[in-house]
Amino acid sequence: MGESTTDFILKGEFNMHYTSEVERMICVAKGPNHGSAPIPQEGKWTQAKEIKDISGLTHGVGWCAPQQGATKLTLNIKDGIIQEALIETLGCSGMTHSAAMAAEILPGKTILEALNTDLVCDAINTAMRELFLQIVYGRSQTAFSEGGLHIGAGLEDLGKGLRSQVGTMYGTLDKGPRYLELAEGYVSEIALDENSEIIGYKFVHMGKFMDMVKKGVDANEALTKATGTYGRFAEASKVIDPRHE
């Protein structure tokens, strides 16, 4: 059996200094010590005592003090070390460059190092804090998945075309709502009925479009193939460009 922390302290290995009041006290037995409660991790119950005991894939969201932007951070952690990091940002142009640096900084660090590393953008720092809390308390996405997920699972979250799931909507009291981007892609047109209510939209799946262009497909042909509609688009009384009409 290895020596406990208490054994080291009693032997003076930590060079502990006590006040005279404590020095004069008699020693009272501590009683049973059952250790920490086990947490679910990758299909197992783990009694986590050190950073290396932590594994799992999970997500966290962070924001900066002025709340000008937000970050969604996805980490795949094995034995306490970050193996994979996905950083998705919203609403702040500078944050995208901070995310580029974070993608280099995070992999290879322990989650404790990452928690105490300047990740450039405060929204990314906050996301790291929130994600740390989740995973050390056993609230990871892979808590009950035996063996966890392979490295690359974070990237697969983006789906085909490897683009973040972005929703951008806009509306005013006088002119009403505008759909600009949904999970399907960039909204090029919205369909209105006879009451000028939205009944559908046309979209361009930008990931698929760029994949085809990179394979040599003519841009106009690729645009046609990557375009789709949703709802009762064909029944529209009027079709408008949401950005200019």
Side-chain angles (χ1 to χ4, degrees):
M1 293 290 290
E3 294 176 301
S4 68
T5 303
T6 305
D7 293 330
F8 281 112
I9 293 173
L10 291 176
K11 287 181 178 180
E13 296 288 340
F14 288 167
N15 195 26
M16 305 295 281
H17 298 284
Y18 294 88
T19 64
S20 58
E21 289 85 355
V22 175
E23 285 282 4
R24 288 195 297 268
M25 291 178 181
I26 65 169
C27 185
V28 177
K30 185 178 179 182
N33 179 11
H34 299 298
S36 56
I39 60 174
Q41 290 194 144
E42 299 191 338
K44 297 179 181 178
W45 289 95
T46 307
Q47 196 174 35
K49 296 181 179 180
E50 301 178 42
I51 291 298
K52 65 180 180 62
D53 296 331
I54 302 295
S55 294
L57 181 142
T58 196
H59 315 272
V61 176
W63 54 94
C64 57
Q67 299 190 25
Q68 291 175 285
T71 294
K72 178 190 173 189
L73 179 61
T74 303
L75 298 182
N76 200 348
I77 299 159
K78 303 292 184 184
D79 300 325
I81 298 173
I82 297 168
Q83 302 290 336
E84 174 186 21
L86 172 65
I87 305 100
E88 301 174 83
T89 67
L90 175 71
C92 173
S93 57
M95 192 188 296
T96 61
H97 296 81
S98 298
M101 288 181 268
E104 295 184 47
I105 292 168
L106 286 168
K109 288 191 178 297
T110 69
I111 56 172
L112 184 60
E113 286 179 300
L115 187 68
N116 290 288
T117 296
D118 181 7
L119 298 174
V120 187
C121 166
D122 210 32
I124 304 176
N125 288 322
T126 304
M128 184 64 224
R129 180 195 70 198
E130 296 300 305
L131 197 150
F132 179 90
L133 290 173
Q134 285 183 37
I135 199 162
V136 297
Y137 280 118
R139 271 73 169 179
S140 68
Q141 180 179 314
T142 53
F144 299 103
S145 301
E146 188 174 357
L149 293 175
H150 294 306
I151 312 306
L155 195 64
E156 289 176 353
D157 267 2
L158 295 176
K160 292 181 179 179
L162 300 182
R163 282 174 56 87
S164 295
Q165 301 298 307
V166 176
T168 308
M169 312 298 158
Y170 179 72
T172 59
L173 180 60
D174 283 346
K175 303 299 181 180
R178 298 292 189 278
Y179 297 174
L180 302 176
E181 187 148 355
L182 291 100
E184 296 92 338
Y186 175 97
V187 178
S188 57
E189 295 175 336
I190 54 177
L192 308 178
D193 65 10
E194 59 276 6
N195 298 318
S196 294
E197 294 180 354
I198 297 173
I199 59 171
Y201 52 86
K202 181 183 287 187
F203 61 86
V204 179
H205 194 300
M206 295 304 297
K208 292 180 180 179
F209 170 72
M210 290 305 302
D211 282 345
M212 284 187 278
V213 170
K214 285 185 285 187
K215 290 176 181 177
V217 178
D218 176 75
N220 288 323
E221 181 184 350
L223 184 63
T224 300
K225 289 181 176 179
T227 297
T229 61
Y230 183 85
R232 295 183 290 123
F233 190 85
E235 302 174 23
S237 294
K238 186 177 183 180
V239 173
I240 66 169
D241 182 335
R243 290 169 175 79
H244 301 293
E245 294 181 75

